[in-house]
Amino acid sequence: MPTNDISPDQPVTDVILIGAGIMSATLGMMLKELDPNLTITVFERLDVAAAESSDAWNNAGTGHSAFCELNYTPERPDGSIDISKALKIAEQFEESKQFWSFLAERYEVKDIQRFINHIPHMSFVWGAKNVEYLRKRHAALTQSALFKGMLFSEDREELQQWMPLVMEGRDPQQPVAATRMDLGTDVNFGSLTRGMFNLLQVKPGVTFHFHHEVQKLRQKEDGAWRIKAKNLTSGETIKIRGRFVFIGAGGGSLPLLEKSGIPEANGFGGFPVSGQWLKCINPAVIARHEAKVYGKAAVGSPPMSVPHLDSRMIEGKRELLFGPYAGFSTKFLKTGSYLDLPGSIQLNNLRPMIMAGLKNIPLTKYLIQQVRQSPQDRVEALREYLPEARAEDWELAIAGQRVQVIKKDKKEGGVLEFGTEVVSAADGSIAALLGASPGASTAVSIMVNLIQKCFPQQSATPEWQACFREMLPSFGKSLADAPELVAEVRARTNTVLGLNVEVV
C-alpha cells in the first residue's frame, strides 16, 4: 500500500469504501480495530446502508455454513463425496461468528437477536439415488469436527417431527432422507451491516456520503487514488483522494473496477442473475415450520437458485420463504440500469464472456424456463417440498440481483465462476470484491485475507497480529481437524451471540 505524501488539491483519507454493504462494514470495522487512527470515507449510491445484496429480502440469510447446502458437496465420478469446499466454508463461517462475538462483547451490543438467531439446518432429498448420496455426504462430513453432531435419518416418523409441513401429504412409498444440524443459524445481514456501520460512524475520522455515486477512479503519480462522486440529490460533485480503495458495491463492483483501469481487472466480466421468492402470508403455516430445508439444485441452475424452504426472522417478525426462482435481467443491481450488462462489455473481456456463454448454454435455457414460469408453475415447484401447499397462502416477492463472475482462462477462453473473487492491484492500493454466494457469510475471512494482502507490512507487525487474534481466536489455525478448538470456539460464540445451542 503506497505511503507517499499526497498533494493537497483534494481532501485526503486513508481508506475509501465504495458501497455500504456487509463487505465494506466488515472491512471498515476491522481496519479501525487494527489502527484507530485511520481515516475512512464511505460512499453509497442509495440513501441507506445494506439496501442491495445485504438486505434481508435480497439475501438468502442462511448463515452459509455448509451444513445444508448440497451444492458445496458434489459427488465425484467414482461416487465419493468431495467435502473440501464445505470444510472451507464451515470454517470461514466460524470465523465470522468469532468476529461478531468480539464486536458484541467489545461494544456491549444489545438485542443481538435482531441479526442472528438459532435455527436447525436441514438437507432434504427424495428418490433412492439422492438418499444414497445424502447418506454418503453425511458419513464424509461427520469425520470432521466442524460437522460433529449432524444427524441423518430415513425414518418418516422422525422426519415428521423435524419438518412436519414437508412430510404431510407426501407419498408414503417415496424414498426420503434428511440431515439435521442443530448448530444452524439465521442471519439478517441487513441488520448486521447497519449495526456495524452504527458502530463505525461514531468513531473519529469516519465520514459517510450516502446518495453519492462514484463516477471516476484514477490513480495519480504518487500512488493515491482520486475519486469523483456525484451527489444524486443535489447534482453536485465532490473529489477526494485516498491511499487505499475498496470496491464492495455488490453487482456494481465490476463497472467500478473497470473504471479503475488496473491491468488486473482485464478479462473479468459479469453474468447477472435475478431472483424471486414465494413468501408465505398465512401465519398458521409460518408457525408450523421452523427450519432451513435445502434440496438439490436443478441441473444447469446457478448456486443461488438452490431451492429451500426457509424460516427467517426479519425485523423481529417470523417469515417463511420458498425459492429463490431464478431469472435474467441485464441489471447488475436491483436498483440498477438495464444498460449495466452491455455497458460492462469491453475488448479485454469480450472473448471470455463469449466463451463462457457458449459453455453455459444449459444455464441460459434454465433461466429462460424460469422467466417463463407461471404462478401455477411456481406453486408446483413449492409442492415438491410442501405437498399440501395452497396457492392462496403465498405471494411473489422480488429477491436480490447477483452478478456471477466471468474470468479469462488460458484453456477454456472464459469460465463462469459461482463464488466470490477479490481482485486487487499489484501495489495493494485498490481491491474489489466480485461474485455472490456464499459472500456475506464468509465476509470476515475474505476481509482478513484482503487486509493481509493489501496491508502486508502492517499485518506482519506484532500489534496487528495480536489484534487479529483478539478479533478471531482461531486466527492462523485450522479448525477442520481440531475438535477441542472447534468446541472451545463454538462454546464462546454460542454464549456471546445468545444462540443457546449445546455444543456436542
Side-chain angles (χ1 to χ4, degrees), residues 60 62 64-76 81-87 89 122-125 133-134 137 141 147 179 293-308 323-324 385 404 417-420 436-439:
T62 302
H64 285 293
S65 46
F67 293 159
C68 57
E69 302 90 341
L70 300 180
N71 55 308
Y72 296 156
T73 50
E75 188 170 8
R76 297 187 181 100
I81 308 298
D82 182 356
I83 64 170
S84 56
K85 186 173 183 178
L87 292 176
I89 291 173
M122 302 184 197
S123 301
F124 174 70
V125 299
Y133 159 78
L134 193 64
R137 177 183 185 269
L141 286 176
F147 293 88
T179 56
V293 178
Y294 271 57
K296 293 194 76 173
V299 176
S301 65
M304 70 168 287
S305 299
V306 174
H308 49 286
Y385 289 82
Q404 310 294 346
E417 298 283 346
F418 290 110
T420 50
S437 180

Side-chain angles (χ1 to χ4, degrees), residues 230-286:
K230 180 181 180 181
N231 185 320
L232 298 178
T233 301
S234 67
E236 297 179 355
T237 60
I238 62 173
K239 296 177 181 178
I240 188 171
R241 283 183 173 232
R243 295 180 175 88
F244 171 75
V245 176
F246 172 66
I247 305 173
S253 290
L254 177 62
L256 290 168
L257 179 62
E258 291 176 335
K259 288 179 180 180
S260 75
I262 61 173
E264 291 81 3
N266 290 342
F268 280 94
F271 183 81
V273 178
S274 61
Q276 297 175 322
W277 301 103
L278 279 182
K279 173 186 174 183
C280 187
I281 55 175
N282 185 335
V285 175
I286 296 171

Side-chain angles (χ1 to χ4, degrees), residues 73-119:
T73 50
E75 188 170 8
R76 297 187 181 100
D78 66 359
S80 63
I81 308 298
D82 182 356
I83 64 170
S84 56
K85 186 173 183 178
L87 292 176
K88 180 180 179 181
I89 291 173
E91 189 169 58
Q92 289 176 326
F93 188 67
E94 291 300 327
E95 292 176 350
S96 290
K97 289 195 295 181
Q98 289 175 61
F99 182 61
W100 302 338
S101 298
F102 163 79
L103 294 179
E105 286 187 319
R106 186 174 184 85
Y107 296 97
E108 299 181 351
V109 176
K110 307 297 182 185
D111 199 12
I112 291 174
Q113 279 62 48
R114 286 185 62 84
F115 80 86
I116 188 167
N117 288 276
H118 155 253
I119 192 165

